Structure formats: structure tokens, C-alpha cells
Amino acid sequence: MAMLCTASALPHAARGDAEAAGWALKNYGAVLIKTTGQVVSADEFKQLAVAAWQAAGHPSSTQEYNGPGSVNRAEIYEGVYDVNAGRTNTMPVPPHSEQSYLFLVPRFVAFSCWEQAKSGGHLELFDNAKIVQALPDFTAKLRAYNVTYQRVLGDRTKGNWSYATGHWQTKYGTSSFAEAQKKAAEDTILGGPAGSTLKPHLQDTALMEWTVPAVSDGYMLNAILDNQRSFNENDGLAPFHSQFGNGEEFSSKDLEALRRSTQEALTHQILMEPGDVVVLDNWRWAHGRQPYEGKRVHGSVISDRRPVHGIF
Ligand SMILES: [Fe+2]
């Protein structure tokens, strides 16, 4: 059995039936393409993903993942990114829409499995519309203030910052902090027209900040739970954080309500088999991963990036 589903089965499409995959993607926002246990090549994975979202009416090829993100994600094959970047297998990956902390959010994301974990590692899908419906007050506040994301970057010449957010000199390709600040201000993929800011921070680090919407077209489109100091896997300073765009911290009540509503929006738990391809509308579904044991080889690709609708 390829899937363990908490509610209803994810729509399936056979390999090569792009029309069925596109129909499911358009109408349900998610599709599982079955390749009957045959591992797909990196190229076929990309072809299946692109054919699905193109059949759903979005003329995009796969796009570069790295650059605007905060963690430089390794490739497992050319143009196919390791889903595990910056993560520990014994911890779950909390629900998030891919790179939804950016102003320009990938419209679609696709996953493929090359090797299953020894145990665990289910892909989980969460209904972003259901989360909005469950939290009217919180989402009204998010609409009013948006969300400010924070990243801590190290300084190559000082300290011993080793987290995957890296060093500001590397990210901005300069040893001049003023030049790095200028480049941060021009980073519209990250922060939209307002760009981002970079300022000196604690323990010889630098703090990068930018503010973007968290609700779009009736869908929660955020990485708040994934970006809290309390969810910190390294020693020392927390590299990721987020707060309301007015500088107010999310209260533990806000976070608990968001966590609970997100958990209640869990609709699918999918144990992908080698050769399976899952294509998601990154607006409609947030995804996460259960803890696992052993080696797990899963890759991802993304489509074009879109500004969050209706706000800018
Ligand atoms: Fe992800």
C-alpha cells in the first residue's frame, strides 16, 4: 500500500497521463503520479512535474531553487533539490508552503522518492484554506500587518557561525557590509518592492529582515511555525524567526492556535514509494514530513514564482 491517508485518498494519475494529472492539480491542488515502482530519472521527474502543472494551465518549466532562499539547498541530481536541507531526520518538518517566506513564492512544488526511509518519513499535506477559515481573528491581523521574517547570518571574519544560513559575505558576494546592505535593499524576490534590511546583530552576526503577506486568495501562505526561535536545532543564536510585521511577537496563544488549526487541516499522510511523484499547488497545500529512521532520498523541483495575489 503506497499511502496511509488520514481522510481521503490523494488523486492518482498514471505516469504519462498528463491530462489526468493536470485535471487533479487544477481541481484538487494535488496529484500522485504512480510509476508502478519504477524509479524515475531526474529528467523524467522534471518532465512529469512540468507536464502536470502545464496541463493545469500554468506554462512554466522548473525554476532555480537557490538564491533567494536562506539555506543553500544541495542538489541530489542536476536541478533536483534535496528535501532534507538543514533538517534532522529525528525531528518532524513542520507544515509550510515551499519558500512561502519569500515575496515571490513558487506556484507549484513537486517531490519524488528515490529511496524510502527504513521507517517513517511520511509526506503530510495540510489544507491552507481550512486554516484561514479556522482562524478569522488571527488571519485578519496577519492581513493587517503581514509577517516579518528574520535570518541570522554569520561574519566570515569573526566568530564561528556554522549554521546553513551561512555568512553575509558569501550571500551578498562582498566583504563590504555597506555593499551587502545595498544588495539586501534590492532583494525584491525576498521582500517585494520594499526589499530587505541587513543590520549588525548579536555575537558578530548580521540580522536580515523582510516583510511579506501571510494570507493570499483565502489561503494561509506562511512559514511562521517553521520560523520560530523556539524551533531551533542549533546551539547558540537561533538562525530563523518571524513576528507580526508591526514588530509584535506571535504570542504562545497565537502559535498554539496556528499549530492546532494547521494540525486539524492535516488531510493526507503519504508514504511515497520509489518512483512516486507528488505535485502540489503550493498555495492550496502546505506540506511537512514525519520523523524517520535510516536513509531517505527524496528530491524536489519548483515552478515559476508568483507574487502573493491581491495585496501588492
Ligand atoms: Fe518543503
Side-chain angles (χ1 to χ4, degrees):
M1 207 34 208
M3 295 168 49
L4 302 172
C5 292
T6 52
S8 52
L10 200 65
H12 283 49
R15 175 193 216 165
D17 191 349
E19 202 182 319
W23 191 90
L25 198 53
K26 192 170 180 168
N27 290 283
Y28 192 72
V31 64
L32 171 62
I33 301 168
K34 293 297 295 182
T35 59
T36 56
Q38 291 169 276
V39 172
V40 294
S41 67
D43 281 344
E44 189 182 2
F45 168 41
K46 287 184 254 185
Q47 283 160 14
L48 289 169
V50 167
W53 63 59
Q54 289 192 347
H58 295 266
S60 163
S61 58
T62 57
Q63 301 286 310
E64 177 65 31
Y65 191 99
N66 289 326
S70 56
V71 171
N72 219 23
R73 186 157 291 204
E75 291 179 332
I76 56 171
Y77 302 105
E78 200 192 332
V80 175
Y81 298 92
D82 184 358
V83 297
N84 218 31
R87 295 295 182 195
T88 316
N89 59 358
T90 52
M91 300 272 286
V93 172
H96 62 281
S97 284
E98 202 61 32
Q99 294 192 326
S100 55
Y101 50 85
L102 300 177
F103 177 74
L104 289 182
V105 181
R107 189 67 185 80
F108 296 94
V109 59
F111 304 102
S112 191
C113 166
W114 277 272
E115 194 173 332
Q116 275 182 326
K118 208 170 121 206
S119 66
H122 296 67
L123 173 69
E124 298 186 315
L125 303 187
F126 303 82
D127 184 337
N128 280 334
K130 210 172 160 183
I131 304 168
V132 166
Q133 287 153 19
L135 299 169
D137 296 343
F138 183 62
T139 52
K141 196 165 170 183
L142 286 173
R143 282 190 170 104
Y145 295 122
N146 298 328
V147 175
T148 296
Y149 291 97
Q150 300 178 331
R151 294 282 181 276
V152 177
L153 304 174
D155 181 332
R156 280 175 75 158
T157 66
K158 293 182 219 162
N160 56 350
W161 185 255
S162 60
Y163 196 76
T165 49
H167 300 93
W168 62 262
Q169 289 96 336
T170 312
K171 176 165 176 65
Y172 296 104
T174 177
S175 56
S176 155
F177 196 66
E179 177 67 20
Q181 286 179 306
K182 189 167 164 277
K183 288 187 173 175
E186 291 164 356
D187 194 344
T188 53
I189 291 179
L190 194 69
S196 61
T197 62
L198 187 71
K199 58 189 181 194
H201 192 52
L202 306 169
Q203 296 169 31
D204 297 324
T205 63
L207 183 69
M208 185 170 77
E209 285 189 308
W210 66 100
T211 302
V212 292
V215 186
S216 169
D217 288 353
Y219 300 110
M220 280 296 280
L221 202 58
N222 74 92
I224 294 168
L225 294 173
D226 204 19
N227 285 274
Q228 286 301 309
R229 287 193 193 104
S230 49
F231 187 80
N232 179 20
E233 295 185 3
N234 70 323
D235 297 325
L237 282 179
F240 303 107
H241 192 54
S242 61
Q243 53 192 202
F244 283 114
N246 64 348
E248 195 183 320
E249 294 292 344
F250 296 114
S251 67
S252 50
K253 213 174 134 194
D254 289 335
L255 294 173
E256 187 44 45
L258 179 57
R259 195 171 288 121
R260 192 180 55 245
S261 303
T262 304
Q263 210 52 48
E264 284 167 5
L266 172 62
T267 309
H268 299 283
Q269 288 175 304
I270 305 148
L271 185 60
M272 291 177 70
E273 294 182 326
D276 284 354
V277 173
V278 170
V279 188
L280 296 181
D281 182 326
N282 198 36
W283 255 244
R284 291 171 66 175
W285 297 98
H287 60 274
R289 170 202 35 78
Q290 292 187 344
Y292 66 89
E293 283 177 33
K295 192 179 168 203
R296 182 180 188 269
V297 184
H298 285 55
S300 68
V301 292
I302 56 171
S303 76
D304 56 337
R305 299 170 181 280
R306 307 278 174 98
V308 170
H309 300 163
I311 295 166
F312 290 92

